[in-house]
Amino acid sequence: MKILLAEDDQRLGKLIVKMLKKEQFTADWVEDGISACDQALTGDYDVIVLDWMLPERDGIQVSRTLRSEGYSGAILMLTARSGLEDRVSGLDAGADDYLAKPFAFEELFARIRSLSRRNFFPIDHDIITSHDLTIDLANHTIIRGSETIILTPREFQLLVYFVKNTGRILSKDQIISRVWEEESEVTYNTMEAFVKLLRKKLGQTKRNSYIKTIRGFGYMWMGDNV
């Protein structure tokens, strides 16, 4: 699981990162709100642990910015403010959960695991479309016209990840981290083989261009108008 920590207290930040890694999480750390926004929108994180009182841009502003930019992952707000109005403000800004300081690390880890198991895409997005494909997220089916395209669970995960990031260049490391998670033995060759198989099953041609190779970096799912 990949975590972004936004915390300006260096002593606490170092300790949280150390404890996250001890729990086998992958953790990146930034110390201000602007960096938090930039990193969150480009780093493909499962959960953002976001301190309220950040320099440059506070946690409320960061959360609102991320949601307005389409970030749909989990946000856990950390703050010394524990009043009801503060809690409501954090959740209204787009946070998914709220943890008051000081906190026990066991509770932090439990909140992170709980958030990571949730589906952060709205219910009305159970069916998504792209190009000539209709993708049923609940039933794991792909329809093109009257044809049903059969994918393995891993191929389906890969397809959904691409489609939900339409027009965004994804590195090979991002794809492996998101689709294969903690299976660290997965190589670029394995991932590339899955992309090749997915293209074949989708019937990708020059006319039906779904996945574009970004030479030396990764791939991009093309928008419908391309």
Side-chain angles (χ1 to χ4, degrees):
M1 192 187 310
K2 193 173 181 182
I3 311 296
L4 175 64
L5 171 66
E7 170 61 65
D8 65 321
D9 184 322
Q10 290 201 355
R11 182 177 179 182
L12 179 59
K14 288 178 182 178
L15 180 58
I16 292 175
V17 169
K18 179 180 178 180
M19 297 300 290
L20 287 171
K21 290 182 177 180
K22 188 176 180 181
E23 289 293 308
Q24 306 302 311
F25 295 128
T26 299
D28 293 330
W29 174 29
V30 295
E31 299 179 56
D32 66 82
I34 293 176
S35 297
C37 286
D38 292 342
Q39 191 82 358
L41 292 172
T42 59
D44 188 39
Y45 295 96
D46 297 291
V47 179
I48 299 173
V49 180
L50 180 63
D51 183 49
W52 185 312
M53 300 301 292
L54 291 172
E56 306 293 342
R57 187 178 295 173
D58 67 27
I60 295 293
Q61 293 173 308
V62 170
S63 185
R64 286 193 178 124
T65 298
L66 293 178
R67 294 311 187 197
S68 69
E69 293 290 331
Y71 175 78
S72 55
I75 298 175
L76 173 61
M77 187 80 75
L78 298 181
T79 180
R81 302 183 179 190
S82 57
L84 177 59
E85 290 184 4
D86 295 319
R87 189 183 299 267
V88 170
S89 295
L91 296 176
D92 279 349
D96 300 286
D97 201 355
Y98 186 105
L99 185 59
K101 296 179 179 179
F103 53 82
F105 280 104
E106 290 79 4
E107 183 176 6
L108 174 64
F109 302 149
R111 298 288 186 96
I112 289 173
R113 291 190 180 97
S114 176
L115 288 172
S116 72
R117 290 192 294 267
R118 291 170 54 183
N119 177 7
F120 288 95
F121 293 92
I123 293 175
D124 61 355
H125 285 186
D126 277 351
I127 295 179
I128 56 178
T129 60
S130 183
H131 297 274
D132 53 350
L133 303 174
T134 299
I135 304 165
D136 187 330
L137 301 179
N139 296 311
H140 287 203
T141 58
I142 302 96
I143 305 294
R144 182 198 290 120
S146 60
E147 173 192 10
T148 299
I149 301 172
I150 306 300
L151 300 181
T152 67
R154 190 72 73 187
E155 290 165 351
F156 186 84
Q157 283 180 288
L158 182 60
L159 170 64
V160 171
Y161 182 52
F162 275 138
V163 173
K164 287 181 175 178
N165 288 278
T166 296
R168 176 182 172 192
I169 298 174
L170 301 170
S171 72
K172 295 177 182 179
D173 287 332
Q174 284 178 307
I175 295 168
I176 290 173
S177 174
R178 185 65 178 187
V179 177
W180 280 266
E181 297 177 352
E182 302 300 330
E183 298 176 27
S184 57
E185 294 181 1
V186 173
T187 64
Y188 287 166
N189 287 341
T190 299
M191 183 271 298
E192 289 165 358
F194 270 92
V195 173
K196 183 177 181 180
L197 285 170
L198 181 59
R199 280 172 163 159
K200 182 178 180 181
K201 289 189 176 183
L202 295 179
Q204 177 163 324
T205 64
K206 289 185 177 180
R207 185 174 180 180
N208 286 330
S209 180
Y210 302 106
I211 305 168
K212 180 180 180 180
T213 298
I214 308 301
R215 193 173 301 276
F217 188 78
Y219 302 94
M220 180 174 68
W221 184 269
M222 305 294 285
D224 292 355
N225 59 344
V226 178

